[in-house]
Coordinates of all heavy atoms in Angstrom, one line a residue:
A11 N 0.8 -1.2 0.0 CA 0.0 0.0 0.0 C 0.9 1.2 0.0 O 1.9 1.3 0.7 CB -0.9 0.0 1.2
A12 N 0.4 2.3 -0.7 CA 1.2 3.5 -0.8 C 1.0 4.3 0.4 O -0.1 4.3 1.0 CB 0.7 4.3 -2.1
A13 N 2.1 5.0 0.8 CA 2.0 5.9 2.0 C 1.2 7.1 1.7 O 1.2 7.6 0.5 CB 3.4 6.2 2.5
D14 N 0.5 7.7 2.7 CA -0.2 8.9 2.5 C 0.8 10.1 2.3 O 1.6 10.3 3.1 CB -1.1 9.2 3.8 CG -2.0 10.4 3.6 OD1 -1.9 11.1 2.6 OD2 -2.7 10.6 4.6
P15 N 0.7 10.8 1.1 CA 1.7 11.8 0.9 C 1.6 13.0 1.9 O 2.6 13.6 2.1 CB 1.3 12.3 -0.5 CG 0.0 11.8 -0.8 CD -0.3 10.6 0.1
V16 N 0.5 13.2 2.5 CA 0.4 14.3 3.5 C 1.2 13.9 4.7 O 1.8 14.8 5.3 CB -1.1 14.5 3.8 CG1 -1.2 15.5 5.0 CG2 -1.9 15.0 2.6
D17 N 1.2 12.7 5.1 CA 1.9 12.3 6.3 C 3.4 12.3 6.0 O 4.2 12.3 7.0 CB 1.5 10.8 6.7 CG 0.1 10.8 7.3 OD1 -0.3 11.9 7.8 OD2 -0.5 9.7 7.3
M18 N 3.8 12.3 4.8 CA 5.2 12.3 4.4 C 5.9 13.7 4.3 O 7.0 13.8 4.1 CB 5.4 11.5 3.1 CG 5.0 10.0 3.3 SD 5.2 9.2 1.7 CE 7.0 9.2 1.5
L19 N 5.1 14.7 4.4 CA 5.6 16.1 4.3 C 6.5 16.4 5.5 O 6.2 16.0 6.7 CB 4.5 17.1 4.3 CG 3.6 17.1 3.1 CD1 2.4 18.1 3.2 CD2 4.4 17.5 1.8
P20 N 7.6 17.1 5.3 CA 8.5 17.4 6.4 C 7.8 18.3 7.4 O 7.1 19.2 7.0 CB 9.7 18.1 5.7 CG 9.6 17.9 4.3 CD 8.1 17.5 4.0
G21 N 8.0 18.0 8.7 CA 7.4 18.9 9.7 C 5.9 18.6 9.9 O 5.2 19.3 10.6
S22 N 5.3 17.6 9.2 CA 3.9 17.4 9.3 C 3.7 16.4 10.5 O 4.4 15.5 10.7 CB 3.4 16.7 8.0 OG 2.1 16.3 8.1
F23 N 2.5 16.7 11.2 CA 2.1 15.8 12.3 C 0.9 15.0 11.9 O 0.2 14.5 12.7 CB 1.8 16.6 13.5 CG 3.0 17.4 14.0 CD1 3.1 18.8 13.9 CD2 4.1 16.8 14.6 CE1 4.1 19.5 14.3 CE2 5.2 17.5 15.0 CZ 5.2 18.8 14.9
G24 N 0.7 14.8 10.6 CA -0.4 14.1 10.1 C -1.5 15.0 9.5 O -1.3 16.2 9.4
R25 N -2.5 14.4 9.0 CA -3.5 15.1 8.3 C -4.2 16.2 9.1 O -4.4 17.3 8.6 CB -4.6 14.1 7.8 CG -5.6 14.7 6.9 CD -6.6 13.7 6.3 NE -6.0 12.7 5.5 CZ -5.7 12.9 4.2 NH1 -6.0 14.0 3.6 NH2 -5.1 12.0 3.5
G26 N -4.5 15.9 10.4 CA -5.2 16.9 11.2 C -4.4 18.2 11.3 O -4.9 19.3 11.2
S27 N -3.1 18.1 11.6 CA -2.2 19.2 11.8 C -2.1 20.0 10.5 O -2.2 21.3 10.5 CB -0.8 18.8 12.2 OG 0.0 19.9 12.2
W28 N -2.0 19.3 9.4 CA -1.9 20.0 8.1 C -3.2 20.8 7.8 O -3.1 21.9 7.3 CB -1.6 19.0 7.0 CG -1.4 19.6 5.6 CD1 -0.2 20.1 5.2 CD2 -2.4 19.8 4.6 NE1 -0.4 20.7 3.9 CE2 -1.8 20.4 3.5 CE3 -3.7 19.5 4.5 CZ2 -2.4 20.8 2.4 CZ3 -4.4 19.8 3.4 CH2 -3.8 20.5 2.3
C29 N -4.3 20.2 8.0 CA -5.6 20.8 7.8 C -5.8 22.0 8.7 O -6.3 23.1 8.2 CB -6.8 19.9 8.0 SG -6.9 18.6 6.7
N30 N -5.3 22.0 9.9 CA -5.4 23.1 10.8 C -4.6 24.3 10.3 O -5.0 25.4 10.3 CB -5.0 22.7 12.2 CG -6.0 21.8 12.9 OD1 -7.2 21.8 12.5 ND2 -5.6 21.1 13.9
E31 N -3.4 23.9 9.9 CA -2.5 25.0 9.3 C -3.1 25.6 8.1 O -3.0 26.8 7.9 CB -1.1 24.4 9.0 CG -0.3 24.0 10.2 CD 1.0 23.3 9.9 OE1 1.5 23.5 8.7 OE2 1.6 22.7 10.7
H32 N -3.6 24.8 7.2 CA -4.3 25.2 6.0 C -5.4 26.2 6.3 O -5.6 27.2 5.7 CB -4.7 24.0 5.2 CG -5.3 24.3 3.9 ND1 -4.5 24.6 2.8 CD2 -6.6 24.5 3.4 CE1 -5.2 24.9 1.7 NE2 -6.5 24.8 2.1
D33 N -6.3 25.7 7.2 CA -7.4 26.6 7.6 C -7.0 27.9 8.3 O -7.5 29.0 8.0 CB -8.3 25.8 8.6 CG -9.1 24.7 8.0 OD1 -9.2 24.7 6.8 OD2 -9.6 23.8 8.7
T34 N -6.0 27.8 9.1 CA -5.4 29.0 9.7 C -4.9 30.0 8.7 O -5.1 31.2 8.7 CB -4.3 28.7 10.7 OG1 -4.9 27.8 11.7 CG2 -3.8 29.9 11.4
M35 N -4.2 29.5 7.7 CA -3.6 30.3 6.6 C -4.7 31.0 5.8 O -4.7 32.2 5.5 CB -2.7 29.5 5.7 CG -2.1 30.3 4.6 SD -1.0 29.3 3.5 CE -2.1 28.2 2.8
H36 N -5.8 30.2 5.5 CA -6.9 30.8 4.8 C -7.6 31.9 5.6 O -8.1 32.9 5.0 CB -7.9 29.7 4.3 CG -7.5 29.1 3.0 ND1 -7.7 29.7 1.8 CD2 -6.8 27.9 2.8 CE1 -7.3 28.9 0.9 NE2 -6.7 27.9 1.4
K37 N -7.8 31.7 6.9 CA -8.4 32.7 7.7 C -7.6 34.0 7.7 O -8.1 35.1 7.6 CB -8.6 32.2 9.2 CG -9.7 31.1 9.3 CD -9.7 30.6 10.7 CE -10.8 29.4 10.8 NZ -10.8 28.8 12.0
R38 N -6.2 33.8 7.8 CA -5.4 35.0 7.8 C -5.5 35.7 6.4 O -5.5 36.9 6.3 CB -3.9 34.6 8.1 CG -3.7 34.2 9.5 CD -2.2 33.8 9.7 NE -2.0 33.4 11.1 CZ -1.0 32.7 11.5 NH1 0.0 32.4 10.6 NH2 -0.8 32.4 12.8
L39 N -5.5 34.9 5.3 CA -5.6 35.5 4.0 C -6.9 36.2 3.8 O -7.0 37.3 3.2 CB -5.4 34.4 2.9 CG -4.0 33.9 2.7 CD1 -4.0 32.7 1.8 CD2 -3.1 35.0 2.3
D40 N -8.0 35.7 4.4 CA -9.3 36.4 4.4 C -9.3 37.7 5.1 O -9.8 38.7 4.6 CB -10.4 35.5 5.0 CG -10.7 34.3 4.1 OD1 -10.4 34.3 2.9 OD2 -11.3 33.3 4.6
I41 N -8.6 37.7 6.2 CA -8.5 39.0 7.0 C -7.7 40.0 6.2 O -8.1 41.2 6.1 CB -7.8 38.7 8.4 CG1 -8.8 37.9 9.2 CG2 -7.4 40.0 9.0 CD1 -8.1 37.4 10.5
I42 N -6.6 39.6 5.6 CA -5.7 40.5 4.7 C -6.6 41.0 3.6 O -6.5 42.2 3.2 CB -4.5 39.8 4.3 CG1 -3.5 39.5 5.5 CG2 -3.7 40.6 3.2 CD1 -2.4 38.6 5.2
E43 N -7.3 40.1 2.9 CA -8.1 40.5 1.8 C -9.1 41.5 2.2 O -9.3 42.5 1.5 CB -8.8 39.3 1.2 CG -9.7 39.6 0.0 CD -10.4 38.4 -0.6 OE1 -10.6 37.4 0.1 OE2 -10.8 38.5 -1.7
E44 N -9.8 41.4 3.3 CA -10.8 42.3 3.8 C -10.1 43.7 4.0 O -10.7 44.7 3.7 CB -11.4 41.8 5.1 CG -12.5 42.7 5.6 CD -13.2 42.1 6.8 OE1 -13.2 40.9 7.0 OE2 -13.7 42.9 7.6
K45 N -8.9 43.7 4.7 CA -8.2 44.9 4.9 C -7.8 45.6 3.6 O -7.9 46.9 3.5 CB -7.0 44.7 5.8 CG -7.3 44.4 7.2 CD -6.1 44.2 8.1 CE -6.5 43.8 9.5 NZ -5.3 43.7 10.4
V46 N -7.4 44.9 2.6 CA -7.0 45.4 1.3 C -8.2 46.1 0.7 O -8.1 47.2 0.2 CB -6.3 44.4 0.4 CG1 -6.2 44.9 -1.0 CG2 -5.0 44.0 1.0
I47 N -9.3 45.4 0.7 CA -10.6 45.9 0.1 C -11.0 47.2 0.7 O -11.3 48.2 0.1 CB -11.7 44.8 0.1 CG1 -11.4 43.7 -0.9 CG2 -13.0 45.5 -0.2 CD1 -12.3 42.5 -0.7
K48 N -11.0 47.2 2.1 CA -11.4 48.4 2.8 C -10.4 49.6 2.5 O -10.8 50.7 2.4 CB -11.4 48.2 4.3 CG -12.6 47.3 4.7 CD -12.6 47.1 6.2 CE -13.9 46.3 6.6 NZ -13.9 46.1 8.0
T49 N -9.1 49.3 2.4 CA -8.1 50.3 2.1 C -8.3 50.9 0.7 O -8.3 52.1 0.5 CB -6.7 49.7 2.2 OG1 -6.5 49.2 3.6 CG2 -5.6 50.8 1.9
V50 N -8.6 50.0 -0.3 CA -8.8 50.5 -1.6 C -10.1 51.3 -1.7 O -10.1 52.4 -2.3 CB -8.9 49.3 -2.6 CG1 -9.5 49.7 -4.0 CG2 -7.6 48.6 -2.8
E51 N -11.1 50.9 -1.0 CA -12.4 51.7 -1.0 C -12.1 53.1 -0.3 O -12.6 54.1 -0.8 CB -13.5 51.0 -0.2 CG -14.0 49.8 -0.9 CD -14.9 48.9 -0.1 OE1 -15.1 49.2 1.1 OE2 -15.6 48.0 -0.7
H52 N -11.3 53.1 0.7 CA -11.0 54.4 1.4 C -10.2 55.3 0.5 O -10.5 56.5 0.3 CB -10.2 54.1 2.7 CG -9.7 55.4 3.4 ND1 -10.5 56.2 4.1 CD2 -8.5 55.9 3.4 CE1 -9.8 57.2 4.5 NE2 -8.6 57.1 4.1
L53 N -9.2 54.7 -0.2 CA -8.4 55.5 -1.1 C -9.2 56.0 -2.3 O -9.0 57.2 -2.7 CB -7.2 54.7 -1.6 CG -6.1 54.4 -0.6 CD1 -5.1 53.4 -1.1 CD2 -5.5 55.6 -0.1
E54 N -10.1 55.2 -2.8 CA -11.0 55.7 -3.9 C -11.8 56.9 -3.5 O -12.0 57.8 -4.2 CB -11.9 54.5 -4.4 CG -11.3 53.5 -5.2 CD -12.2 52.3 -5.6 OE1 -13.2 52.1 -4.9 OE2 -11.9 51.6 -6.6
S55 N -12.3 56.8 -2.3 CA -13.1 57.9 -1.7 C -12.3 59.1 -1.6 O -12.7 60.3 -1.9 CB -13.7 57.5 -0.3 OG -14.3 58.5 0.3
E56 N -11.1 59.0 -1.1 CA -10.2 60.1 -0.9 C -9.8 60.8 -2.3 O -9.8 62.0 -2.4 CB -8.9 59.7 -0.2 CG -9.1 59.4 1.3 CD -9.4 60.6 2.1 OE1 -8.8 61.7 1.9 OE2 -10.3 60.5 2.9
V57 N -9.6 60.0 -3.3 CA -9.2 60.5 -4.6 C -10.4 61.2 -5.2 O -10.3 62.3 -5.7 CB -8.8 59.3 -5.5 CG1 -8.7 59.8 -7.0 CG2 -7.4 58.8 -5.1
K58 N -11.6 60.7 -5.1 CA -12.8 61.3 -5.6 C -13.0 62.7 -4.9 O -13.3 63.7 -5.5 CB -14.1 60.5 -5.4 CG -14.1 59.3 -6.3 CD -15.4 58.5 -6.1 CE -15.4 57.3 -7.0 NZ -16.6 56.4 -6.7
S59 N -12.8 62.7 -3.6 CA -12.9 63.9 -2.8 C -11.9 65.0 -3.3 O -12.2 66.1 -3.5 CB -12.7 63.6 -1.3 OG -12.8 64.8 -0.6
L60 N -10.7 64.6 -3.4 CA -9.6 65.5 -3.9 C -9.9 66.0 -5.3 O -9.7 67.2 -5.6 CB -8.3 64.8 -3.9 CG -7.7 64.6 -2.5 CD1 -6.4 63.7 -2.6 CD2 -7.4 65.9 -1.8
L61 N -10.4 65.1 -6.2 CA -10.7 65.6 -7.6 C -11.9 66.5 -7.5 O -11.9 67.5 -8.3 CB -11.1 64.4 -8.4 CG -9.9 63.5 -8.8 CD1 -10.3 62.2 -9.6 CD2 -8.9 64.3 -9.7
N62 N -12.9 66.3 -6.6 CA -14.0 67.3 -6.5 C -13.5 68.6 -6.0 O -13.9 69.7 -6.5 CB -15.1 66.7 -5.6 CG -15.9 65.7 -6.2 OD1 -16.0 65.6 -7.4 ND2 -16.5 64.8 -5.4
I63 N -12.6 68.6 -5.1 CA -12.0 69.9 -4.6 C -11.3 70.6 -5.7 O -11.4 71.8 -5.8 CB -11.1 69.6 -3.3 CG1 -11.9 69.2 -2.1 CG2 -10.3 70.8 -3.0 CD1 -11.1 68.6 -1.0
I64 N -10.5 69.9 -6.4 CA -9.7 70.5 -7.5 C -10.7 71.1 -8.6 O -10.5 72.2 -9.0 CB -8.8 69.4 -8.2 CG1 -7.6 69.1 -7.3 CG2 -8.2 70.0 -9.5 CD1 -6.8 67.9 -7.7
S65 N -11.7 70.3 -8.9 CA -12.7 70.7 -9.9 C -13.4 72.0 -9.4 O -13.6 73.0 -10.2 CB -13.7 69.6 -10.1 OG -14.7 70.1 -11.0
E66 N -13.8 72.0 -8.1 CA -14.5 73.2 -7.6 C -13.6 74.4 -7.5 O -14.0 75.5 -7.8 CB -15.0 72.9 -6.2 CG -16.2 71.9 -6.2 CD -16.5 71.5 -4.8 OE1 -15.9 72.0 -3.8 OE2 -17.4 70.6 -4.6
T67 N -12.3 74.2 -7.2 CA -11.4 75.3 -7.1 C -11.1 75.9 -8.4 O -11.1 77.1 -8.6 CB -10.1 74.8 -6.4 OG1 -10.4 74.2 -5.2 CG2 -9.1 75.9 -6.3
T68 N -10.8 75.0 -9.4 CA -10.5 75.5 -10.8 C -11.7 76.2 -11.4 O -11.5 77.1 -12.2 CB -9.9 74.4 -11.7 OG1 -10.9 73.3 -11.8 CG2 -8.6 73.9 -11.1
S69 N -12.9 75.7 -11.1 CA -14.1 76.4 -11.7 C -14.3 77.7 -11.2 O -15.0 78.6 -11.8 CB -15.3 75.5 -11.6 OG -15.7 75.4 -10.2
N70 N -13.8 78.1 -10.0 CA -14.0 79.4 -9.4 C -12.9 80.4 -9.7 O -13.0 81.5 -9.2 CB -14.1 79.2 -7.8 CG -15.4 78.4 -7.5 OD1 -16.4 78.5 -8.2 ND2 -15.3 77.7 -6.3
I71 N -11.9 79.9 -10.4 CA -10.8 80.8 -10.7 C -11.2 81.7 -11.9 O -11.5 81.1 -13.0 CB -9.5 80.0 -11.0 CG1 -9.0 79.3 -9.8 CG2 -8.4 81.0 -11.5 CD1 -7.9 78.3 -10.1
P72 N -11.2 83.0 -11.7 CA -11.5 83.8 -12.9 C -10.4 83.8 -14.0 O -9.2 83.8 -13.7 CB -11.6 85.2 -12.3 CG -10.8 85.2 -11.0 CD -10.8 83.7 -10.6
I73 N -10.8 83.6 -15.2 CA -9.9 83.5 -16.3 C -10.1 84.7 -17.2 O -11.2 85.0 -17.6 CB -10.1 82.2 -17.1 CG1 -9.9 81.0 -16.2 CG2 -9.2 82.1 -18.3 CD1 -10.3 79.7 -16.8
A74 N -9.0 85.3 -17.5 CA -9.0 86.5 -18.4 C -9.3 86.0 -19.8 O -8.9 85.0 -20.2 CB -7.6 87.2 -18.4
P75 N -10.1 86.8 -20.5 CA -10.5 86.4 -21.9 C -9.2 86.3 -22.7 O -8.3 87.0 -22.6 CB -11.3 87.6 -22.4 CG -11.8 88.3 -21.1 CD -10.8 88.1 -20.1
G76 N -9.2 85.2 -23.6 CA -8.1 84.9 -24.4 C -7.0 84.1 -23.8 O -6.0 83.8 -24.5
T77 N -7.1 83.8 -22.5 CA -6.1 83.0 -21.9 C -6.3 81.5 -22.3 O -7.4 81.0 -22.1 CB -6.2 83.1 -20.3 OG1 -6.2 84.5 -19.9 CG2 -5.1 82.3 -19.6
P78 N -5.2 80.9 -22.8 CA -5.3 79.5 -23.1 C -5.5 78.6 -21.9 O -4.9 78.9 -20.9 CB -4.0 79.2 -23.8 CG -3.1 80.2 -23.4 CD -3.9 81.4 -23.0
L79 N -6.4 77.6 -22.0 CA -6.6 76.7 -20.9 C -5.5 75.6 -20.9 O -5.2 75.1 -21.9 CB -8.0 76.1 -21.0 CG -9.1 77.1 -20.9 CD1 -10.5 76.3 -21.0 CD2 -9.1 77.8 -19.5
K80 N -5.1 75.2 -19.7 CA -4.1 74.2 -19.6 C -4.7 73.0 -18.9 O -5.3 73.1 -17.8 CB -2.9 74.7 -18.7 CG -1.9 73.6 -18.3 CD -0.8 73.5 -19.3 CE 0.3 72.6 -18.8 NZ 0.7 71.6 -19.6
D81 N -4.6 71.8 -19.5 CA -5.1 70.6 -18.9 C -4.1 70.0 -17.9 O -3.0 69.5 -18.4 CB -5.4 69.5 -20.0 CG -6.0 68.2 -19.4 OD1 -6.2 68.1 -18.2 OD2 -6.3 67.3 -20.2
I82 N -4.3 70.1 -16.6 CA -3.3 69.7 -15.6 C -3.1 68.2 -15.6 O -2.1 67.8 -15.1 CB -3.7 70.2 -14.2 CG1 -5.0 69.6 -13.7 CG2 -3.7 71.7 -14.1 CD1 -5.3 69.8 -12.3
F83 N -4.0 67.5 -16.2 CA -3.8 66.0 -16.3 C -3.3 65.6 -17.7 O -3.2 64.4 -17.9 CB -5.1 65.3 -16.0 CG -5.6 65.6 -14.6 CD1 -6.7 66.3 -14.3 CD2 -4.9 65.1 -13.5 CE1 -7.2 66.5 -13.0 CE2 -5.3 65.3 -12.2 CZ -6.5 66.1 -12.0
D84 N -3.1 66.5 -18.5 CA -2.6 66.2 -19.9 C -3.5 65.2 -20.6 O -3.0 64.4 -21.4 CB -1.1 65.7 -19.9 CG -0.2 66.8 -19.4 OD1 -0.4 68.0 -19.7 OD2 0.8 66.4 -18.8
G85 N -4.8 65.3 -20.4 CA -5.8 64.5 -21.1 C -5.7 63.0 -20.6 O -6.4 62.2 -21.3
K86 N -5.0 62.7 -19.6 CA -4.9 61.3 -19.1 C -6.1 60.8 -18.3 O -6.3 59.6 -18.1 CB -3.6 61.1 -18.4 CG -2.4 61.3 -19.2 CD -1.1 61.1 -18.4 CE 0.1 61.3 -19.2 NZ 1.3 61.3 -18.5
Y87 N -6.9 61.7 -17.8 CA -8.0 61.3 -16.9 C -9.3 61.9 -17.3 O -9.4 62.9 -17.8 CB -7.7 61.7 -15.4 CG -6.4 61.1 -14.9 CD1 -5.2 61.8 -14.9 CD2 -6.4 59.8 -14.5 CE1 -4.0 61.2 -14.4 CE2 -5.2 59.2 -14.0 CZ -4.1 59.9 -14.0 OH -2.9 59.3 -13.6

């Protein structure tokens, strides 16, 4: 009969230990994923807020007639 490959892993204490380590790793990854998603959502909110402030500020600046307009984003956004 062939030996169980899980039991043959170095540092393994059998199937139960390996499964516990696997579950623990997935729980940690889930926590990290949740933190990354919340951070991205926060950063998106901050960027939108800053773009709104820039938009409001630039729309209130009086421009002399004949002054060429400059695209501060060079058309990238």
Side-chain angles (χ1 to χ4, degrees):
D14 185 356
V16 174
D17 289 336
M18 296 177 66
L19 291 174
S22 175
F23 298 109
R25 184 176 300 276
S27 175
W28 183 85
C29 287
N30 289 340
E31 290 176 19
H32 185 80
D33 289 342
T34 301
M35 182 177 63
H36 274 280
K37 287 177 186 174
R38 289 179 181 167
L39 288 173
D40 289 343
I41 292 169
I42 292 169
E43 180 182 21
E44 184 179 333
K45 287 182 180 184
V46 168
I47 289 170
K48 286 181 180 181
T49 301
V50 168
E51 289 172 351
H52 175 75
L53 290 173
E54 285 176 338
S55 174
E56 290 292 316
V57 168
K58 286 179 184 178
S59 177
L60 289 171
L61 288 174
N62 285 337
I63 292 169
I64 290 170
S65 177
E66 290 171 4
T67 302
T68 57
S69 66
N70 294 332
I71 297 174
I73 300 174
T77 303
L79 298 177
K80 171 90 171 128
D81 182 1
I82 62 171
F83 298 112
D84 295 327
K86 294 180 183 175
Y87 301 98

